[in-house]
Structure formats: structure tokens, C-alpha cells
Amino acid sequence: LEVALLEGRADLAVHSLKDVPMQLEPGFRLAGVMAREDPSDALVSGRYASLEALPQGARVGTSSLRRQVQLRALRPDLQLLDLRGNVNTRLAKLDRGEYEAIVLASAGLIRLGFAERIRQRLAPPLLLPAAGQGVLGLEIRDGDSETAALLAPLIDPAATMATTAERVMTGALGGSCRVPIAAYAEGAGNALSLHGLVGDRSGQRCLWVSLSGPADQPELLGTRVAAALIDRGALSLLAD
């Protein structure tokens, strides 16, 4: 997609923000983010209506370390198995009986017309999502003011503040999809609250910090939450 932008074959790339690196390659920038869809994770199952209803030792499909860490903390008896492929492929594997349940992003299921497959929203504080989950990010060439102006009406201020705090926190911890970090910010009036989590891969230890600050200073809030997690030993968990 970035090659297409560079070559002028595209002027805009649209991404799930949770998959966008904290730092873009030189020559590109985020023009902004759109309004947030449901940020929660979703339990999908043909037989069981909730995480609590899953039988002892049930097979649950997810390849996300962030989800695995939090699921192990809630249900250490579960078998957490690798799950790859697009949404249709993952649902097909569930329907073939390879798993008792799978965990996907609610936003992806909703946007693809599979909202009825959601059996339980694993919403915060039960499970914290990835930074930027449920948000679409708009990437353009750096310096392309014309496209930026066209996109301006699509930019959502609330999602911008929340995801800025989440991404600053995650970036300060060196986060990527390969490490178990979760972040979720929510606004109330002129205040913004940020919940951050770091876990070890065994799920035996999770660090959780929640702080609030002015909504117009999301970078500062993200930095504060990252610092609090580091003070509690986050870097040693991530190094492990």
C-alpha cells in the first residue's frame, strides 16, 4: 500500500489502526482517524454463550499474545490454540469443530456483517483491547495537503485523543503485536482515562495501571501510564 502511495497509484491507504506501527516510515503520515467502532474483543462460539460457560479445558483459538495473557489470567484451564487466516477462514475453522470458541475483534465482525456471531463482548475491564482497536487510520504521503484537506471532515476528535494516548503508551513500552500489551482510553467530559496492561507470556502475572488527565493532553497521559507500568516492572515482563 505504501508503494502504491509513493508511486502515485493511490492517494490514501486505510488501515485498522491497531495494526499500524507506532512510527511510520519516512515519507508517510497519518492524516487522522475515524470514529471508533466497538473496541471490544468478542467471544464467538457455536455452543457456548460466554467465557464462563466454556467447559474445563475448552479449546479457544487466538494468536494474539495480548488476548492469550488476559484469557489465561481469567481461565487458566483453557487450551489456547493458534488461529490464523482471515475472518471467514477463522469462522470456518470454528464451525468445523476445531475449537469450542474463538476470540476476534468485535469491530471486524461488525464491519463484515458477522455481528450475529458474537456470543459475548469481552469488553473492558474484562479484557483490554489493543491500542487503536476498532479505529480506522488514514495514511497519506507526507506533505500531501490536498488529500489531508479532503479527509478533514472524516476525522473524529474523540477517537483522535483516545488513540493518541493509547499509541503513545504502547510506543513508550516498545509495543507491537509480538508483545502482550493492551491499552484503552475513554473520555468523559474534559477528562480522559487510560487503562494500560502488560503481561508475561505465561499469563501468571499482569500489570494494570489506570490514570486520568485532561482530554487535550493525551500524549502526556500516555507517557504517564507507560512510566507507571515501567515503575512496576513492565520492562522485565516484556523482556521475558
Side-chain angles (χ1 to χ4, degrees):
L1 295 176
E2 289 180 336
V3 170
L5 288 173
L6 280 178
E7 294 178 349
R9 293 184 287 113
D11 297 305
L12 167 67
V14 182
H15 307 286
S16 176
L17 189 64
K18 72 183 181 67
D19 299 325
V20 176
M22 300 302 132
Q23 296 294 328
L24 295 177
E25 293 291 331
F28 306 99
R29 74 177 181 90
L30 281 176
V33 300
M34 298 177 65
R36 193 168 216 162
E37 182 53 90
D38 188 336
S40 69
D41 288 311
L43 184 82
V44 182
S45 176
R47 297 176 56 191
Y48 302 101
S50 68
L51 186 64
E52 295 79 8
L54 291 174
Q56 192 83 3
R59 299 165 299 166
V60 177
T62 175
S63 297
S64 163
L65 288 176
R66 171 190 60 81
R67 290 171 181 148
Q68 290 176 9
V69 161
Q70 295 182 81
L71 288 170
R72 284 195 182 99
L74 292 168
R75 287 285 306 268
D77 62 289
L78 297 176
Q79 297 183 61
L80 300 179
L81 305 176
D82 193 43
L83 177 65
R84 302 286 177 179
N86 60 34
V87 171
N88 286 305
T89 298
R90 296 181 188 203
L91 291 173
K93 291 180 178 181
L94 172 68
D95 293 341
R96 287 198 299 267
E98 297 180 25
Y99 311 92
E100 274 70 58
I102 62 176
V103 180
L104 303 172
S106 294
L109 291 165
I110 292 168
R111 288 182 172 130
L112 291 171
F114 294 122
E116 75 282 354
R117 298 297 303 262
I118 298 174
R119 298 299 300 272
Q120 181 187 15
R121 293 177 63 254
L122 304 173
L126 185 62
L127 254 70
L128 285 187
Q133 187 161 312
V135 177
L136 296 179
L138 309 176
E139 183 184 17
I140 62 174
R141 290 182 295 272
D142 197 13
D144 186 356
S145 57
E146 181 179 358
T147 301
L150 290 170
L151 296 172
L154 300 177
I155 307 307
D156 185 80
T160 298
M161 289 186 292
T163 58
T164 297
E166 294 166 9
R167 286 170 61 81
V168 167
M169 186 213 89
T170 305
L173 294 168
S176 73
C177 62
R178 294 180 293 276
V179 295
I181 297 177
Y184 177 60
E186 52 189 344
N190 294 322
L192 187 68
S193 296
L194 176 61
H195 316 284
L197 178 144
V198 172
D200 66 6
R201 295 191 182 212
S202 70
Q204 295 178 352
R205 188 179 175 204
C206 287
L207 303 175
W208 178 302
V209 168
S210 295
L211 296 174
S212 297
D216 60 355
Q217 297 181 32
E219 295 92 345
L220 177 60
L221 181 58
T223 301
R224 288 175 57 214
V225 172
L229 286 165
I230 290 170
D231 285 345
R232 297 186 185 186
L235 294 184
S236 65
L237 290 188
L238 295 173
D240 290 340

